[in-house]
């Protein structure tokens, strides 16, 4: 049997007393922490599994798009939006389905898919969804709705395109002053992006795009 001196015995008694008072609380905290860790690991596993499954469905959608299989594409796009709406693949699938629909003259379906991305997409994908939806609405001459899609401030990579499409919409409305300003904003955005620096290939593409914007601005002449 272990033999304790008086001081050690007092310390043991203090520990026992403390444990009686606080033991249940400590156990609860430790249990909650363990559950939290397990839950986080389980969530990560679930997210990884969801992403992998969404990637498979997106692969099916891409193949259907390349083969022109409209029915299979529709089913795959619907599955992504219904079962994997939180994944990036859902937005990519909707953008792909919208392009196929637009190219096929089905503007209604294209708008539905793009509206979903504009509402539910994340970051640059949401910006791209709004931009493409605005372009479709412009084709339909729904000018006010198109401009509404471009009200939000996009990521810098889309700033020039947003301004350009706004200019196109104003020009279609014969609002030349507003169009002139929008094209000027687009030029300023592309210049700002060039100053930020990019690769040689990106710089060439930016220069070509700037030339297009400049032609649009020049066609309107000077403000009166």
């Amino acid at each position: 049997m272990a033999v304790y001196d008086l001081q050690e015995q007092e310390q043991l008694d203090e520990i026992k007393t403390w444990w009686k008072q606080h033991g249940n609380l400590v156990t609860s905290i430790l249990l909650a922490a363990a559950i939290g860790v397990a839950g986080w690991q389980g969530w990560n596993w679930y997210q990884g599994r969801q992403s992998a499954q969404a990637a498979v469905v997106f692969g099916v959608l891409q193949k259907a798009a390349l083969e022109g299989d409209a029915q299979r594409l529709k089913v795959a796009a619907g599955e992504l939006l219904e079962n994997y709406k939180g994944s990036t693949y859902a937005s990519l699938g909707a953008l792909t389905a919208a392009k196929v629909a637009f190219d096929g003259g089905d503007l209604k379906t294209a708008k539905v898919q793009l509206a979903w991305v504009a509402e539910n997409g994340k970051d640059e994908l949401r910006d791209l969804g709004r931009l493409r939806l605005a372009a479709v609405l412009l084709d339909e001459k729904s000018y006010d709705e198109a401009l509404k899609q471009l009200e939000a401030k996009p990521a810098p990579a889309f700033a020039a395109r947003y301004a350009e499409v706004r200019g196109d919409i104003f020009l279609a409305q014969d609002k030349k002053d507003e169009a002139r300003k929008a094209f000027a904003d687009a030029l300023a955005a592309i210049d700002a992006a060039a100053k930020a620096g990019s690769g040689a290939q990106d710089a060439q593409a930016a220069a070509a795009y700037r030339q297009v914007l400049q032609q649009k601005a020049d066609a309107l002449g000077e403000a009166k």
Side-chain angles (χ1 to χ4, degrees), residues 186-217:
L187 285 166
I190 203 73
D191 289 342
K195 288 181 181 178
S198 59
Q201 186 175 1
D202 290 340
Q204 289 179 351
Y209 179 43
R210 193 188 191 288
Q211 186 175 4
V212 172
L213 292 173
Q214 190 65 60
Q215 289 173 349
K216 287 187 175 184

Side-chain angles (χ1 to χ4, degrees), residues 16-134:
K16 290 177 181 178
T17 300
W18 185 91
W19 185 257
K20 285 180 181 179
Q21 293 176 345
H22 306 289
N24 289 338
L25 176 60
V26 172
T27 301
S28 298
I29 292 173
L30 292 175
L31 181 59
I35 291 174
V37 171
W40 176 251
Q41 291 175 338
W43 174 249
N44 285 338
W45 173 85
Y46 173 77
Q47 287 289 86
R49 184 169 178 269
Q50 285 288 96
S51 180
Q53 291 175 339
V56 172
V57 179
F58 180 67
V60 171
L61 183 146
Q62 284 186 306
K63 189 171 185 294
L66 290 172
E67 295 176 352
D69 190 337
Q71 182 58 33
R72 189 149 56 102
L73 185 147
K74 181 179 180 180
V75 171
E79 183 175 355
L80 283 172
L81 299 189
E82 182 177 352
N83 298 326
Y84 308 102
K85 60 184 178 181
S87 72
T88 299
Y89 292 108
S91 294
L92 292 174
L95 289 169
T96 302
K99 183 180 185 308
V100 172
F102 181 82
D103 291 343
D106 185 358
L107 297 186
K108 182 178 179 180
T109 297
K111 285 195 299 181
V112 169
Q113 296 289 344
L114 292 173
W116 189 93
V117 180
E119 182 69 25
N120 300 284
K122 294 180 177 61
D123 304 323
E124 284 84 355
L125 289 177
R126 180 184 58 224
D127 293 338
L128 182 56
R130 289 172 176 167
L131 181 64
R132 291 186 177 176
L133 180 56

Side-chain angles (χ1 to χ4, degrees), residues 140-168:
E140 289 190 329
K141 300 183 179 181
S142 300
Y143 303 130
D144 291 340
E145 291 182 55
L147 287 171
K148 187 175 181 180
Q149 292 300 322
L150 303 174
E151 288 177 353
K153 184 179 180 180
F158 288 96
R161 285 288 291 133
Y162 266 52
E164 180 194 8
V165 175
R166 276 198 301 271
D168 291 338

